[in-house]
Amino acid sequence: MAELPPSVSGKEKRSLSEFLSRMDRKANLYTRTRSRSDSESVTGSSTVSCDEENSMGSGSRRFVPKRRKGRAMGYFMCGTIWSLTILGLVAMVDLALMISRSLWGLEDDPDKIFANWGKSGTGTEGLAWYPTDFLRDVQPIHCHSHNDYWRKVPLFSALHAGCIGVEADVWLYDNSNSTTLYVGHNRASLTEARTFQSLYMNPIVDLLERANPQTRFTTDKNETTRGVFDVDPAQSLTLLVDVKTDGAKTWPEVLKQLEPLRSRGWLTYVENGTVHPGQVTVVGTGNTPFDLLTANATYRDAFFDAPLDKMWEDPDSNVPVTTPTVYNSTNSHYASVSFGSAVGRVWAGLSKEQLRTIRGHVKGAHRRGLAVRYWDLPAWPIGLRNSVWHALTTEGVDMLNVDDLRGAARKSW
């Protein structure tokens, strides 16, 4: 510091000295702050210590460098939000696709193995083709293939899904030399090749002959009385024959064409009031005449589709019913009715009254030894259909009448 002239008093000297000292400290502090500002701006830390702040006095201004920590945190939060938004959109699209596939049944077609059915050189021209291991691992389920003749491959598609029941609508036509039963939903759908024999009788005989080979290894009778399902050989296949033409003329022809199964002992039959299970159980419906079917009181190998709506009994009553029954296990197999007409339409789920109606039907049919089957079940939306399927099986309905074989086979209901 420069020497002061002698004329300056001591007090003035001290004041001037303190002022110059403060100015020197501020200059040094400013110099240090500028030299470290670049590195300190990265971390965002302050360049002034507590001691320096105190030494600068209350009137001094603190130098604060530009901070980037807040900007980095903003980038991080923005990226996180966008990532979660994208993941949410992907999840919503996946859920929408899953729901749409469930509603419209957009699943892989198990009938792809029949892609060459009927083509030249495949051995299926005669409609009797059957791979040896076709039903090796198929688990039978209690479903009835409604309008089975509409399948890509009648009978085989249903069996491949595990259905233990199939349906054939038959139409009688008298030709000049023979009488033929044609299969189809209406007259417009009939063709010369699609007959009761070609679509059902011949293939069923072929299936059972393959399941029951006559060799030196099959000396046990149980080895020659196997059904179509390898995993459950005791399971009978129910063949529902829906007679569309005059019953009095058509039914005798149906019985006649069952002879290949009858002669091999493969039909379920009644003899002297006792039911003997077989590999195939034939049931007549539609215009099938009940009195003609039951005319032979000693022996019969076909059964009736009894009216389920006439069998209702109070499900809450414990009083035994002693009223004589016309329909029983010796003359009938199914007890069926339209679901819509007997139970009613379903909009959001079965009501208490509808469940009570179902329970009354099940009680009356089971007392007679008959299997309960409803047709005209809700088919869409899929969620409602599955809910009805689940409720019916829970209430004791024995056979689901289905159009969607894949939906029934998945058993996700």
Side-chain angles (χ1 to χ4, degrees):
M1 182 184 301
E3 185 176 354
L4 297 176
S7 59
V8 178
S9 67
K11 183 177 181 180
E12 292 175 341
K13 287 181 181 181
R14 286 193 299 274
S15 299
L16 181 60
S17 176
E18 290 175 358
F19 172 77
L20 292 176
S21 176
R22 279 200 306 271
M23 294 300 294
D24 287 341
R25 286 198 301 271
K26 288 183 178 181
N28 291 336
L29 177 61
Y30 180 76
T31 301
R32 290 197 304 271
T33 302
R34 288 297 300 267
S35 64
R36 292 183 296 178
S37 62
D38 290 340
S39 62
E40 290 174 343
S41 64
V42 176
T43 61
S45 60
S46 176
T47 60
V48 182
S49 65
C50 294
D51 294 339
E52 288 172 333
E53 279 189 335
N54 294 334
S55 62
M56 289 169 60
S58 60
S60 64
R61 294 178 60 88
R62 177 183 176 188
F63 178 79
V64 180
K66 184 178 180 181
R67 299 186 179 185
R68 297 182 181 176
K69 183 176 182 179
R71 183 182 298 177
M73 182 60 69
Y75 289 155
F76 174 76
M77 293 298 295
C78 183
T80 301
I81 293 173
W82 273 107
S83 298
L84 293 176
T85 302
I86 294 172
L87 288 175
L89 291 174
V90 171
M92 291 178 63
V93 171
D94 183 66
L95 179 62
L97 290 174
M98 182 177 66
I99 293 175
S100 64
R101 291 170 70 88
S102 175
L103 287 175
W104 286 279
L106 302 178
E107 302 291 345
D108 292 336
D109 185 2
D111 284 345
K112 287 181 179 178
I113 64 174
F114 302 121
N116 294 323
W117 177 270
K119 293 183 180 179
S120 177
T122 63
T124 64
E125 296 86 350
L127 301 179
W129 166 77
Y130 167 71
T132 304
D133 59 352
F134 173 68
L135 295 174
R136 180 193 305 167
D137 299 319
V138 175
Q139 295 290 334
I141 57 179
H142 287 260
C143 70
H144 171 82
S145 178
H146 179 232
N147 291 335
D148 180 75
Y149 44 85
W150 273 347
R151 308 295 175 195
K152 182 176 179 63
V153 183
L155 178 65
F156 292 99
S157 293
L159 293 179
H160 187 233
C163 283
I164 63 173
V166 295
E167 175 183 344
D169 291 2
V170 298
W171 305 75
L172 176 67
Y173 277 84
D174 293 321
N175 301 321
S176 57
N177 298 324
S178 63
T179 302
T180 305
L181 292 174
Y182 294 96
V183 175
H185 191 65
N186 49 42
R187 295 180 186 273
S189 65
L190 303 181
T191 67
E192 294 294 337
R194 295 170 66 85
T195 67
F196 186 58
Q197 284 186 328
S198 65
L199 292 180
Y200 292 96
M201 286 297 97
N202 294 341
I204 291 175
V205 169
D206 187 40
L207 284 168
L208 292 175
E209 284 183 341
R210 293 173 183 271
N212 299 281
Q214 299 294 325
T215 69
R216 65 187 183 92
F217 302 105
T218 56
T219 57
D220 188 349
K221 183 181 179 180
N222 292 330
E223 291 296 331
T224 57
T225 56
R226 300 171 60 85
V228 295
F229 294 102
D230 184 70
V231 298
D232 189 3
Q235 176 62 59
S236 182
L237 171 66
T238 301
L239 175 61
L240 183 68
V241 181
D242 190 345
V243 175
K244 294 298 185 181
T245 45
D246 181 74
K249 295 181 179 179
T250 307
W251 186 248
E253 183 62 26
V254 172
L255 295 178
K256 179 181 177 181
Q257 295 198 15
L258 295 177
E259 183 58 30
L261 297 173
R262 182 183 297 113
S263 62
R264 290 169 172 80
W266 289 337
L267 289 175
T268 298
Y269 65 96
V270 175
E271 189 171 31
N272 297 322
T274 302
V275 179
H276 300 271
Q279 287 91 327
V280 180
T281 302
V282 177
V283 181
T285 190
N287 291 333
T288 300
F290 179 73
D291 56 346
L292 186 58
L293 184 148
T294 58
N296 189 338
T298 304
Y299 174 92
R300 70 178 67 95
D301 49 27
F303 300 82
F304 194 64
D305 185 19
L308 178 61
D309 55 328
K310 299 183 182 303
M311 300 181 184
W312 190 88
E313 297 177 3
D314 188 351
D316 301 320
S317 174
N318 295 323
V319 179
V321 179
T322 59
T323 306
T325 60
V326 176
Y327 307 103
N328 54 64
S329 61
T330 66
N331 58 42
S332 303
H333 178 73
Y334 281 150
S336 306
V337 72
S338 165
F339 183 86
S341 63
V343 179
R345 295 301 174 186
V346 181
W347 303 106
L350 292 169
S351 66
K352 292 183 179 179
E353 186 60 31
Q354 288 175 322
L355 287 173
R356 190 171 187 274
T357 299
I358 293 170
R359 290 165 186 163
H361 287 156
V362 171
K363 180 180 179 180
H366 285 179
R367 186 176 68 85
R368 295 166 171 83
L370 307 181
V372 178
R373 180 182 71 98
Y374 289 103
W375 50 275
D376 187 31
L377 294 175
W380 195 91
I382 302 299
L384 176 62
R385 181 205 67 185
N386 290 349
S387 174
V388 172
W389 283 2
H390 178 76
L392 291 179
T393 55
T394 301
E395 295 299 332
V397 172
D398 303 281
M399 187 72 75
L400 283 179
N401 203 75
V402 303
D403 292 291
D404 183 3
L405 298 180
R406 286 172 287 170
R410 282 197 299 268
K411 298 195 74 171
S412 57
W413 35 272

